Amino acid sequence: MKVTIIGTGYVGLVVGACLADMGHEIMCLDIDKKKIDKLNKGIIPIYEPGLKTVIKRNETDKRISFTTDKEKAIQFAEIIFLAVGTPQRKDNKADLKYIKQAAADIGKYMNDYKVIINKSTVPVGTAELVRKIVKENLKKPIDFDVVSNPEFLREGSAIKDFMNADRIVIGYDSEKAKTYMEKLYKTYVRTFRPIVFVDIKSAEIIKYASNSMLATRISFMNEIARLCEKVGADVKKVAAGMGFDKRIGPRFLQAGIGYGGSCFPKDVRAFIEMARENKVDFKILKAVEEINEEQKKSLLPKIKKLVPNLKGKKIALWGLAFKPKTDDMREAPSLVIIKQLQAEGAKVAAFDPVAKENAKKLLKDVEFIDDQYEVLKDAHCLVLVTEWDEFRNFSYERVKQLMKQPNIVDGRNVYDHEDLEEAGFNYISVGR
Ligand code: NAD
């Protein structure tokens, strides 16, 4: 099928690349000329494992192309995905300005029947809004359908997640559009991946409800971690014991420094707002959000336990991105921790395998070092912020020699207490 993806970011680019790999003809449209120029030169503007290989393969086979030409891109396709950003507004609601702009462009340039798919995470009712805007901008009456098809991929494993999705959710209200969607996702039908066909509003809610459930599990475990710290229990062992219960399952039970990223924080807040507008007081999600905000600040007291006076002291961070295997710094807990440390007068140095360039745009007075060990030179404390694989094992001797004091605060519960203490480190983690 001929498919246009509007918005070539973390989601749009992956969706485009993967659909091309399934044999569809893809045109990726973005208003960011720099991004499109890069893509046309073979440079991938984001870090996502495996993405470059998939794009290269499909560019060679002429199944994927990149453009800023709206008219060409919109007229090319039978199916148009909206994968533009829906960032948080000041009032916590999802900002739909990019969706509205893209919908107006579709209406303006549309020449024949198309299925327009909301892939972006959008509040309930947005499919209707898109329908209205497209209609208002049509130059002559043309039939079209709007479908909701939320995306559940995770940055860092996006290709795998998209190709092996647990389920595809499709909200539709037209049999013709349903046929198009079945054809688009034929590969999933063949491999018996569940495709959940629902009404449009339910599909819109499913995305927010799913992210909110995952965020709830994280905040729940972070609150359990606080109790564990008080009573001398170990939250990792508690999670293991809970996770074997099939009704609970082992995933998303890790305590840590709180969730961040481009989705959970904004989606939880937008869901609370959506509920409020509909006169539902989403008490549980308000607590989830509050716990998360506190959790992001919870490392400072631990660091101060080891280094009581931070003024002029060097604190080294391993990891900046909100999670491993991505360069995405949106709402990363590292931003909060660094600001707290700087307010205490500490000198902050950091190493992240890929997030440096994005971090530089958001942080001031941080020394960015390109080496995992070099960053530790003369540090009074090492803080593990993002659990990249390369941080899981390290040379104890080398680290001790480099650091001024052998202090480690582990925000991700990666290390073993006994191991590190035996090696002569002062070690504090979360909920243990
Ligand atoms: P992003 O900011 O990385 O990319 C959005 C892109 O859209 C940008 O390149 C921007 O230039 C482009 N754009 C904006 N307006 C445009 C227009 N009118 N025409 C063409 N291009 C336009 O965002 P993202 O992280 O890819 O997220 C996109 C959507 O997917 C959001 O709603 C997000 O909540 C949702 N989502 C994200 C993830 C994730 O892990 N990032 C996962 C699931 C869902």
Side-chain angles (χ1 to χ4, degrees), residues 185-348:
Y185 286 127
K186 207 161 67 185
T187 315
Y188 296 92
V189 177
R190 211 177 44 231
T191 52
F192 301 107
R193 299 236 163 248
I195 301 190
V196 186
F197 284 102
V198 292
D199 62 282
I200 290 175
K201 284 183 179 166
S202 298
E204 290 170 333
I205 294 271
I206 285 170
K207 173 63 193 173
Y208 281 99
S210 302
N211 274 3
S212 297
M213 170 62 96
L214 295 171
T216 301
R217 284 174 73 107
I218 294 172
S219 280
F220 183 82
M221 289 314 292
N222 282 332
E223 198 137 68
I224 300 273
R226 292 175 197 174
L227 181 60
C228 286
E229 282 176 10
K230 298 271 187 218
V231 300
D234 182 334
V235 74
K236 265 186 110 166
K237 293 178 184 159
V238 172
M242 289 166 66
F244 284 113
D245 187 325
K246 287 200 181 67
R247 294 167 301 177
I248 297 172
R251 301 178 69 186
F252 277 80
L253 291 184
Q254 279 89 8
I257 50 176
Y259 57 78
S262 66
C263 292
F264 285 6
K266 79 168 172 61
D267 292 350
V268 165
R269 291 177 201 134
F271 209 23
I272 294 170
E273 277 310 301
M274 215 185 297
R276 194 187 55 76
E277 277 187 333
N278 290 286
K279 306 214 171 1
V280 175
D281 184 14
F282 219 143
K283 296 188 195 80
I284 194 167
L285 272 193
K286 286 182 185 166
V288 165
E289 153 84 353
E290 194 186 324
I291 293 163
N292 196 58
E293 287 308 300
E294 290 166 4
Q295 199 68 13
K296 285 194 272 186
K297 295 183 189 140
S298 68
L299 281 197
L300 185 70
K302 293 179 196 279
I303 298 167
K304 284 180 83 171
K305 232 181 206 175
L306 300 176
V307 189
N309 179 5
L310 284 164
K311 205 167 170 48
K313 305 277 168 50
K314 176 175 168 179
I315 307 299
L317 266 61
W318 273 358
L320 289 163
F322 85 95
K323 63 184 276 190
K325 296 190 183 146
T326 182
D327 59 353
D328 200 339
M329 282 295 297
R330 289 177 280 188
E331 297 240 18
S334 63
L335 300 170
V336 174
I337 296 160
I338 289 172
K339 282 208 181 94
Q340 283 181 309
L341 287 167
Q342 289 176 332
E344 295 276 334
K347 291 185 286 182
V348 178

Side-chain angles (χ1 to χ4, degrees), residues 5-13 29-33 35 46 67 70 82-87 97-103 105 119-122 150-156 158 207-208 211 262-263 266-267 322 328 330:
I5 317 271
I6 305 187
T8 311
Y10 286 87
V11 166
L13 199 50
L29 169 72
D30 207 290
I31 45 172
D32 184 340
K33 192 175 172 304
K35 208 177 245 189
I46 54 165
T67 185
K70 293 176 179 178
L82 291 171
V84 298
T86 49
K97 66 173 181 250
Y98 303 114
I99 291 277
K100 288 180 187 167
Q101 179 59 53
D105 290 337
K119 182 55 101 179
S120 302
T121 303
V122 287
E151 183 50 55
F152 302 97
L153 63 77
R154 295 162 298 173
E155 288 173 20
K207 173 63 193 173
Y208 281 99
N211 274 3
S262 66
C263 292
K266 79 168 172 61
D267 292 350
F322 85 95
D328 200 339
R330 289 177 280 188

Side-chain angles (χ1 to χ4, degrees), residues 344-357:
E344 295 276 334
K347 291 185 286 182
V348 178
F351 166 73
D352 187 286
V354 299
K356 181 174 98 174
E357 292 310 318

